[in-house]
Amino acid sequence: MPQTHPTWRFNARPFLNPGPGLAALLLVASLTAPAWAAAPDALRARFASLRDAGTGQLLDQSIYLRSTESPDRMQGEVHALIEQPFEQVRQQLSQAAQWCDVLILHINVKYCRAQRTSAGDELVSGVGRKFDQPLAEVHWVRFGFRVVTDRSDHLLTELRSPTGPLGTHDYRMSVEAVPHTNGQSLLRMTYSYGYGTAARWAMKTYLATLGRDKRGFSVVGKTANGQPITVGGVRGVVERNTLRYYLALQSHLRSHGAPGGNATQLALQTWFDATERYAEQLHEMDGPDYIAMKLKEIQRQKTVAPPPPG
């Protein structure tokens, strides 16, 4: 039986001491309404265009990552060819509970519980720092979960939360998938957030301290000896977390149905190994420490009830 939740509180540390509110700001996302969702052939054409141009291609040549920045919104986007058949992708990503199995793989996600409300499916997510934290110190975000399109040739799902920490708003993560050849699928994931003055100042503090040496993936120039210069700043933050979430999605799909009930352990190891391919941008801790922390968090979210709304 789930335990009753402990006394929840939001951390009120000053901006100069980055806390779970800032960690949440670095994680959650929004985008405009899903007007971008198009016919399956449009997604295939877009992937072919990116592949032909090599735009945003990562080490894994089937993954293309892009980001955009405006005065009040950041957005990251991944287009990818994955080995899982579309029907498996459709079955997994159209269920709210499966999305918690995806989100918890991210190093900053400390808790996720899917539940049914009068308004529909909801994911209660707790986000925090890149180490073990009590739930009393995480920031809580309640995502509405919606399957926008669910057809035999096209899936579109989205997570939405209208508000967040430090002036952020309109969080969303959207995933679109279509069948491809040879039992593969094409997938597009978009991750972004809107922000105001408080969030902008908090992000500047992070980028001047803990995040000052961290970079993203997009090449924005070259050094005097011709070495690529990758994007930093807020775009770098968005690109790192966009890829972390995509790799969580990919790891969950790859590990589903593992024999012997080892899907969770396999997903954790797969996610860590995948992020280590991009260690310069994504490495935060050693593999055994990550897995031990996550197993503890996964057990905790099974036994501790989420906080009530409000």
Side-chain angles (χ1 to χ4, degrees):
M1 292 291 291
Q3 301 170 2
T4 58
H5 60 78
T7 301
W8 307 102
R9 63 179 176 85
F10 292 126
N11 189 286
R13 298 172 184 169
F15 291 164
L16 292 179
N17 184 9
L22 177 57
L25 166 60
L26 302 180
L27 285 173
V28 287
S30 69
L31 63 128
T32 55
W36 49 260
D41 286 345
L43 187 58
R44 296 186 183 96
R46 183 58 181 155
F47 180 82
S49 176
L50 291 171
R51 182 178 54 196
D52 292 344
T55 304
Q57 189 174 43
L58 301 184
L59 293 174
D60 182 337
Q61 296 183 0
S62 65
I63 303 176
Y64 299 84
L65 172 65
R66 303 187 305 155
S67 63
T68 57
E69 180 178 4
S70 68
D72 60 357
R73 188 175 297 277
M74 297 298 306
Q75 179 169 303
E77 179 180 277
V78 166
H79 286 254
L81 175 64
I82 61 176
E83 295 303 318
Q84 287 67 41
F86 175 74
E87 193 55 36
Q88 178 190 342
V89 175
R90 181 185 179 193
Q91 290 175 1
Q92 291 292 299
L93 301 188
S94 61
Q95 302 177 56
Q98 297 291 340
W99 270 96
C100 275
D101 292 340
V102 173
L103 298 183
I104 196 62
L105 299 178
H106 193 298
I107 195 168
N108 289 93
V109 176
K110 303 299 172 182
Y111 181 100
C112 187
R113 177 79 71 88
Q115 56 189 21
R116 179 62 61 88
T117 73
S118 59
D121 288 323
E122 177 183 75
L123 303 182
V124 183
S125 177
V127 294
R129 305 287 294 279
K130 298 180 178 73
F131 49 77
D132 192 14
Q133 276 186 301
L135 290 179
E137 294 183 3
V138 307
H139 188 92
W140 295 97
V141 181
R142 308 182 85 90
F143 289 102
F145 173 80
R146 184 166 68 114
V147 179
V148 181
T149 302
D150 184 8
R151 304 197 315 247
S152 61
D153 64 345
H154 190 199
L155 177 72
L156 172 60
T157 65
E158 64 176 5
L159 308 179
R160 301 184 61 175
S161 180
T163 60
L166 303 176
T168 56
H169 60 273
D170 192 22
Y171 300 125
R172 297 191 199 177
M173 186 185 304
S174 294
V175 173
E176 185 179 18
V178 298
H180 195 57
T181 58
N182 301 319
Q184 300 168 313
S185 302
L186 286 178
L187 185 145
R188 179 192 186 191
M189 188 188 80
T190 306
Y191 167 94
S192 58
Y193 63 84
Y195 59 94
T197 302
R200 192 175 294 111
W201 277 105
M203 186 63 72
K204 285 182 178 180
T205 299
Y206 168 78
L207 294 172
T209 54
L210 298 177
R212 63 182 176 273
D213 297 323
K214 294 181 179 292
R215 312 296 297 180
F217 297 88
S218 295
V219 176
V220 293
K222 291 186 177 181
T223 63
N225 61 0
Q227 295 300 308
I229 300 172
T230 53
V231 68
V234 183
R235 275 187 65 195
V237 171
V238 169
E239 288 190 354
R240 291 193 298 274
N241 280 303
T242 299
L243 187 58
R244 284 188 176 110
Y245 274 125
Y246 167 73
L247 294 175
L249 185 67
Q250 182 187 66
S251 299
H252 171 73
L253 291 170
R254 286 180 174 177
S255 63
H256 179 71
N262 293 322
T264 298
Q265 187 82 29
L266 179 59
L268 292 170
Q269 188 66 58
T270 301
W271 185 89
F272 182 82
D273 292 345
T275 60
E276 285 296 286
R277 296 196 67 197
Y278 309 95
E280 182 178 353
Q281 291 93 349
L282 302 184
H283 180 80
E284 297 291 347
M285 64 171 58
D286 293 337
D289 294 333
Y290 163 78
I291 291 175
M293 178 182 73
K294 283 296 166 184
L295 289 174
K296 178 181 177 181
E297 291 169 356
I298 290 168
Q299 181 60 32
R300 179 173 63 183
Q301 72 185 12
K302 292 178 181 178
T303 57
V304 179

